[in-house]
Amino acid sequence: MFSSFWFWWSVYMSVILILYIIELCFENNNEIKPKKKDYNINVTKSKFVNEVLRWCMKNMDYPSGHKYYPQVKICYYKTKRSRFGDYTSNIRLIRIFINNHNSVEELVDTIIHEYTHYLQMPSQQDQKEYNRYLKQKGYYKNPFEINARETAEKYTSICMKEMKRKGLISRW
């Protein structure tokens, strides 16, 4: 009787071990793979971010309510949350978390997205409206965010072509 207990206990533990191994294999196969890096940046990251921002200023609207262009702060540390960038309207500051990006295209998309927020919020009243939508609808359904995503999608490939033409980026 005692030996049958150990037999079944061994079978039970073996099954648990096999299920655990299968689960590990399944998890690894379903991981989201980062976007393939198709481009190299041929200048410093700081210079590249500033060049993309200059492109935005030249090729995108500049509303009359703005008195100053935004400042840019490039953060080289990775954030714990999946944050690529943000905009603070009261000090007109765009922060880009440069090492959170998986591709140059994703970086350009973020810069355009955050510049769009700068265009959207020339006053504190606009920031309050953004915050109100954020509370009511959440981040993804916020009309400011929807517009910023659409604008970035519209302009990213155009900006990428210009950066490539200027020699700031090149294919691997």
Side-chain angles (χ1 to χ4, degrees):
M1 178 171 189
F2 189 69
S3 66
S4 86
F5 167 79
W6 286 109
F7 171 76
W8 289 111
W9 184 83
S10 299
V11 169
Y12 174 76
M13 294 306 287
S14 298
V15 168
I16 288 177
L17 178 63
I18 290 169
L19 290 174
Y20 176 74
I21 291 169
I22 290 171
E23 183 179 332
L24 283 177
C25 292
F26 181 75
E27 282 179 9
N28 289 338
N29 288 335
N30 287 327
E31 282 182 6
I32 297 172
K33 304 287 189 235
K35 197 173 189 178
K36 184 180 176 189
K37 297 180 182 181
D38 291 335
Y39 290 92
N40 278 330
I41 297 176
N42 299 329
V43 294
T44 64
K45 291 176 182 178
S46 174
K47 180 173 173 74
F48 181 74
V49 168
N50 284 302
E51 285 296 322
V52 172
L53 189 61
R54 268 193 213 98
W55 182 91
C56 291
M57 292 175 195
K58 182 179 174 187
N59 294 282
M60 296 172 67
D61 292 333
Y62 184 75
S64 59
H66 288 282
K67 295 180 183 174
Y68 306 101
Y69 283 114
Q71 295 181 356
V72 178
K73 181 178 180 185
I74 300 168
C75 303
Y76 292 93
Y77 56 89
K78 283 194 166 203
T79 59
K80 301 254 186 244
R81 295 187 298 165
S82 177
R83 176 180 268 183
F84 295 133
D86 58 30
Y87 175 66
T88 307
S89 65
N90 62 336
I91 57 174
R92 293 175 311 281
L93 177 68
I94 294 174
R95 285 191 311 169
I96 303 296
F97 298 95
I98 202 151
N99 290 325
N100 281 11
H101 295 84
N102 293 316
S103 69
V104 174
E105 185 174 11
E106 198 173 69
L107 175 60
V108 170
D109 184 275
T110 297
I111 297 165
I112 295 171
H113 179 104
E114 298 307 331
Y115 183 78
T116 301
H117 285 317
Y118 159 75
L119 295 176
Q120 293 169 333
M121 295 181 255
S123 70
Q124 282 304 109
Q125 189 59 36
D126 299 305
Q127 180 68 57
K128 288 177 184 176
E129 186 177 5
Y130 174 92
N131 293 341
R132 184 172 50 83
Y133 282 128
L134 191 61
K135 280 183 180 178
Q136 290 174 351
K137 299 180 179 240
Y139 178 82
Y140 288 100
K141 292 183 181 178
N142 184 330
F144 286 84
E145 291 298 336
I146 292 169
N147 177 258
R149 285 192 298 270
E150 289 172 351
T151 302
E153 186 177 337
K154 175 182 173 183
Y155 286 110
T156 296
S157 64
I158 299 166
C159 182
M160 291 284 292
K161 286 176 187 170
E162 179 65 16
M163 296 300 113
K164 188 175 178 188
R165 187 191 70 72
K166 286 183 161 187
L168 300 173
I169 58 175
S170 57
R171 287 265 187 203
W172 277 27

